[in-house]
């Protein structure tokens, strides 16, 4: 089952900033980079902070609470204090719409 869900218009996304969405109860942040659109869990794995509010530096987002850094392309931690990655979600763009594959 593909389970692709329409979550946003591509026009809502701006390079260097994230937006928060909550499809099917999942708290997810979507980021537009020069090379594509990426989606990761919106809550930092270290503390209860929203990554969509974090500072972007290239493909990295900085947690606004304790400055942990995550790669928005795959959710990996690139700088502590966080040690656990956040989930990344498959993304596709079709006809100007952003779709996520909501698989657990």
């Amino acid at each position: 089952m593909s389970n692709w869900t329409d979550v946003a218009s591509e026009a809502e996304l701006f390079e260097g900033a994230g937006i928060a969405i909550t499809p099917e109860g999942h708290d997810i942040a979507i980021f537009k980079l020069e090379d594509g659109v990426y989606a990761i869990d919106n809550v930092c794995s270290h503390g209860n902070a929203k990554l969509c509010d974090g500072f972007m530096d290239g493909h990295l987002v900085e947690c606004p609470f304790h400055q942990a850094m995550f790669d928005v392309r795959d959710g990996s931690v690139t700088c502590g204090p966080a040690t656990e990655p956040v989930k990344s979600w498959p993304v596709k763009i079709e006809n100007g719409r952003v779709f996520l594959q909501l698989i657990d």
Side-chain angles (χ1 to χ4, degrees):
M1 182 176 178
S2 66
N3 199 27
W4 288 99
T5 302
D6 185 338
V7 296
S9 166
E10 190 175 14
E12 295 175 63
L13 305 177
F14 296 94
E15 197 168 324
I19 67 166
I21 58 167
T22 54
E24 298 181 21
H26 298 284
D27 191 359
I28 297 173
I30 301 175
F31 298 92
K32 181 176 184 177
L33 303 180
E34 188 176 294
D35 65 345
V37 175
Y38 300 91
I40 59 174
D41 277 352
N42 194 24
V43 178
C44 177
S45 62
H46 175 257
N48 192 22
K50 300 290 187 179
L51 295 176
C52 68
D53 296 332
F55 175 75
M56 293 290 302
D57 183 12
H59 59 270
L60 302 178
V61 63
E62 182 180 62
C63 172
F65 279 8
H66 302 110
Q67 291 70 52
M69 300 284 284
F70 296 89
D71 189 325
V72 301
R73 299 172 298 180
D74 63 9
S76 62
V77 177
T78 61
C79 180
T83 58
E84 294 295 318
V86 292
K87 181 176 177 60
S88 65
W89 300 87
V91 178
K92 71 177 178 178
I93 308 294
E94 286 185 355
N95 301 316
R97 299 296 302 173
V98 179
F99 292 84
L100 297 186
Q101 191 172 31
L102 299 175
I103 51 175
D104 288 320

